[in-house]
Amino acid sequence: MRAVARTAAAAATALALLLTGCGGGGGGQTDGRITLRFQSLAWQKESVDANKQLVKEWNASHPDVRVQYVQGSWDSVHDQLLTSFEGDEAPDVIHDASDDLADFAYGGYLADLRTLLPGRLTADIPRQSWRTSTFDGGVYGVPFLQEPRVLIANTKILKASGVRVPTPEKPWSWPEFGRVTKKLTGKGRYGVAWPLKEPVSVTLNLGLSAGGELFHRGADGKVTLAMDDGDLVVPRTIHEQVNTDHSAARTALGMGGGDALPGLFGGKYAMVPLGFSYRQQVVEQAPEGFEWTVLPAPAGSAGPAQGVSPQTLSVAEDSPHKKEAVEFIDFLLRPANMVRLAKGDWMLPTGKEALADPSLHTPDRGWATGVALAGGLRSAPAQSVRGYPEWKDKVATPAYQEYYSGAIDAAELRKRLVEDGNRVLARYQR
């Protein structure tokens, strides 16, 4: 889910839903014309404009199936959707993220799309992307936008240091990354800032590169937590940077991603690990003359693998017009349209044809680096785990925060994540 959502959109959600007259479990039909409601979570101007323009183009060419655009918000989407599902007021077409779908899928609120999706779309999106929205054998969302985590670096500091500059083909290893951040650290400057206000997804997703899994599904289908050496590579690297090498800024641990950008611009941090879409904020906010570059995240024993939770488009189970809703999704995700949506959100498309578009392979603003990382993107470790939200909020977030700050050691981190975590998951799997 987008970590950089804007709270102002939350108020717009309630107003939009009121104005569009939610009710009756999805779109309606008057005078022989079907009306579908499409709730979008786009919030950046470019993205909102792209979505609204595509809705306009659909309506111009489909007079019998009108789509009504409804503005939603990343800040409140889970609770808002749950309320709309239970009140039989859900939009027909639902924009969300794959890591938010599990409870809705298992709860019967989303339509299984397997028999509805056109062959073109299923073939164009890679299998590893489809896994992010597959629960208990059913497909409950179409993954269409994704973003790797990258390093946004101050080019002048990087060049002056003389360190090897990584490429997608030859990224830094995690040990090399630790050595580099020490070398980039100097008077009044840290080699890296880790904005870890929400540390769980960052840690787990980057941990895939070191072979970390943490969640293990048994033959009986039940999931348990187990922490091995691969799961500790990323946490230990960050812990040592903050508490031993002092090459990572302690004050950044409580920040959101955008909060760290002023320090990057001002030379306080040489690098900041961020989602790919943060490039837009760099372009908009960086002072004149600031030189920056996009580098691949470090890689471990599993190569440049990363977990992702793509943005998705789903259909409400109660929608009376599922066929038409899927046809609209297919239109939105035609390769040329998927490119438009990706550029509007500064993210990568999942579709193979869209990803091959020459306009995404330019070195300008790091687009080519992001595209080169797309092949290593995998389903985030806990996508289909029931009870994950509670584990994340009540167990993992405080445990990682205390470990990164130096308040607890690795043994205590393991105990909390695994022992306390398995008690949480057990309640959901009885």
Side-chain angles (χ1 to χ4, degrees):
M1 191 178 297
R2 294 300 292 271
V4 288
R6 293 294 181 263
T7 56
T13 303
L15 178 61
L17 291 174
L18 178 64
L19 293 177
T20 53
C22 292
Q29 185 167 359
T30 57
D31 300 328
R33 185 173 72 171
I34 293 169
T35 297
L36 302 174
R37 286 186 294 112
F38 164 42
Q39 180 169 302
S40 169
L41 302 181
W43 61 272
Q44 301 178 94
K45 184 180 186 303
E46 293 175 71
S47 182
V48 172
D49 290 347
N51 277 271
K52 287 185 175 180
Q53 180 59 33
L54 286 169
V55 168
K56 184 178 180 180
E57 292 172 15
W58 165 274
N59 287 336
S61 58
H62 296 77
D64 295 331
V65 182
R66 179 177 177 270
V67 171
Q68 189 175 56
Y69 182 93
V70 179
Q71 184 63 61
S73 167
W74 286 111
D75 290 330
S76 56
V77 64
H78 185 88
D79 291 342
Q80 178 264 315
L81 283 175
L82 185 60
T83 299
S84 68
F85 285 135
E86 292 178 345
D88 194 28
E89 297 178 339
D92 300 273
V93 178
I94 299 164
H95 181 190
D96 203 350
S98 59
D99 60 356
D100 193 41
L101 299 184
D103 288 344
F104 296 142
Y106 288 120
Y109 295 121
L110 299 177
D112 184 349
L113 303 177
R114 285 176 295 175
T115 61
L116 297 168
L117 292 169
R120 178 205 69 79
L121 194 57
T122 55
D124 186 48
I125 296 175
R127 183 176 299 176
Q128 66 261 28
S129 295
W130 284 115
R131 289 194 183 110
T132 66
S133 58
T134 299
F135 305 96
D136 200 23
V139 175
Y140 295 94
V142 182
F144 71 106
L145 293 181
Q146 58 190 346
E147 63 174 331
R149 190 159 289 268
V150 296
L151 299 169
I152 298 182
N154 183 313
T155 303
K156 289 183 178 179
I157 295 175
L158 201 64
K159 287 182 177 178
S161 70
V163 301
R164 181 183 75 84
V165 178
T167 64
E169 296 73 29
K170 194 176 180 182
W172 287 323
S173 66
W174 285 102
E176 185 180 9
F177 177 58
R179 294 191 296 270
V180 165
T181 56
K182 282 196 288 186
K183 193 166 184 179
L184 294 175
T185 299
K187 186 176 181 180
R189 184 180 72 230
Y190 293 96
V192 66
W194 286 94
L196 292 175
K197 184 177 181 180
E198 297 181 3
V200 181
S201 62
V202 176
T203 306
L204 297 185
N205 289 342
L206 289 178
L208 287 184
S209 72
E213 294 183 14
L214 202 60
F215 294 88
H216 302 268
R217 191 176 295 275
D220 60 358
K222 292 187 176 181
V223 177
T224 55
L225 289 147
M227 199 169 190
D228 59 24
D229 290 342
D231 295 301
L232 278 171
V233 169
V234 173
R236 186 175 284 131
T237 298
I238 300 172
H239 179 272
E240 290 179 355
Q241 287 174 326
V242 174
N243 300 285
T244 304
D245 302 334
H246 305 293
S247 61
R250 181 181 299 274
T251 54
L253 294 176
M255 294 181 180
D259 300 331
L261 290 179
L264 178 70
F265 301 151
K268 185 177 180 180
Y269 316 132
M271 297 182 293
V272 182
L274 292 169
F276 194 55
S277 62
Y278 276 92
R279 295 168 304 128
Q280 184 190 29
Q281 291 189 53
V282 175
V283 169
E284 292 180 345
Q285 299 174 17
E288 187 175 353
F290 178 73
E291 297 179 20
W292 58 285
T293 188
V294 176
L295 307 175
S301 59
Q306 285 190 40
V308 291
S309 299
Q311 294 186 21
T312 55
L313 293 171
S314 301
V315 177
E317 173 61 27
D318 285 346
S319 171
H321 307 296
K322 295 184 183 65
K323 175 177 174 291
E324 292 79 7
V326 171
E327 289 173 352
F328 172 65
I329 291 174
D330 184 43
F331 167 80
L332 277 182
L333 304 186
R334 290 175 183 174
N337 293 344
M338 196 183 284
V339 171
R340 291 163 66 183
L341 293 172
K343 286 183 174 180
D345 243 342
W346 289 68
M347 299 178 76
L348 298 177
T350 58
K352 291 176 284 188
E353 191 171 340
L355 201 59
D357 190 282
S359 66
L360 300 181
H361 289 254
T362 171
D364 182 50
R365 299 175 176 178
W367 279 108
T369 298
V371 170
L373 298 174
L377 301 181
R378 301 288 182 267
S379 176
Q383 293 272 69
S384 60
V385 177
R386 300 203 74 177
Y388 169 74
E390 181 180 342
W391 174 83
K392 180 185 73 171
D393 293 341
K394 296 183 178 179
V395 177
T397 294
Y400 278 124
Q401 287 174 336
E402 290 183 50
Y403 177 65
Y404 290 144
S405 69
I408 62 173
D409 61 14
E412 179 65 18
L413 174 69
R414 185 194 303 266
K415 177 178 180 296
R416 292 196 192 180
L417 294 180
V418 176
E419 294 182 19
D420 295 351
N422 278 328
R423 283 193 286 270
V424 171
L425 298 189
R427 295 203 309 272
Y428 289 82
Q429 300 182 98
R430 289 170 181 163

